Amino acid sequence: MNFLDLVKKRQSSRHYLPKNVDREIIDRCVEAARLAPSACNSQPWKFIIIDNPEKKDELADAAFSGIYSLCTFVKKAPVIVVVITEKSSYAARVGAFLKNIQYSLIDIGIACEHFVLQAAEEGVGTCMIGWFSEKKVKKVLNLSKSVKIDMLISMGYPENNEVRKKTRKPIEEVREFI
Ligand SMILES: Cc1cc2nc3c(=O)[nH]c(=O)nc-3n(C[C@H](O)[C@H](O)[C@H](O)COP(=O)(O)O)c2cc1C
């Protein structure tokens, strides 16, 4: 598929069919994420894939309760990817300190976009989720308090494959040639 066509095809899917996603497909998405660029090649990420139905339900119930219940649609997704933001390399941390930029978040964003684009290529729907209880996700997965989780990705075959019109600022507003 032409790259721009793939970019246009990718959209946040919030309604999923009750159909499993093969681990080979998930692995290709992780592979696309693994190959993403990162500051000083730090690769500050880890992807925990929850595709066991009982564990996935337990995680979704915990992550999306209370003020986070806006995203309860994730409960219907057969797969939840927990993206762990790891500590960047020493060089990247020095650069981040001097520039006052958290490069690891940029790195995670790029890796997650690689992930969801590969999923779109495979016909699998995804939604990046930033609104969840990090504390409860750690509890369900028995992760230490010091672990940083900035993003979840829900994943599954979309109920509807129709590509929605994208709501975006016009190109003239976001681009300037000098
Ligand atoms: C960092 C980030 C966090 C997001 N968090 C959520 C979220 O918590 N819940 C949700 O439904 N969508 C979330 N989204 C999806 C955006 O709402 C969506 O990408 C945007 O509205 C554009 O729509 P599209 O993805 O269908 O093109 C998030 C996207 C990004 C990049």
Side-chain angles (χ1 to χ4, degrees), residues 10-12 14 71 73 127-131 164 168:
R10 193 234 37 96
Q11 60 188 355
S12 295
R14 298 186 178 87
C71 295
F73 71 86
C127 188
M128 295 196 208
I129 313 283
W131 190 243
R164 301 185 301 269
R168 298 291 192 268

Side-chain angles (χ1 to χ4, degrees), residues 7-8 13-14 47-48 56 67 69 96 115 126 137 150 171:
V7 169
K8 288 176 183 165
S13 298
R14 298 186 178 87
F47 300 88
I48 303 182
K56 194 270 301 171
I67 56 165
S69 43
F115 187 105
T126 54
V137 169
D150 296 309
I171 194 164

Side-chain angles (χ1 to χ4, degrees), residues 68-122:
Y68 300 104
S69 43
L70 253 176
C71 295
T72 40
F73 71 86
V74 181
K75 292 183 184 181
K76 293 264 176 72
V79 183
I80 299 177
V81 182
V82 173
V83 185
I84 295 185
T85 311
E86 299 210 308
K87 208 170 178 182
S88 296
S89 67
Y90 181 70
R93 276 185 286 132
V94 170
F97 174 75
L98 295 174
K99 284 272 295 166
N100 192 24
I101 288 179
Q102 199 181 335
Y103 288 119
S104 57
L105 270 188
I106 299 176
D107 299 339
I108 291 292
I110 298 170
C112 288
E113 181 63 5
H114 276 206
F115 187 105
V116 298
L117 283 173
Q118 179 62 31
E121 218 276 328
E122 305 266 2

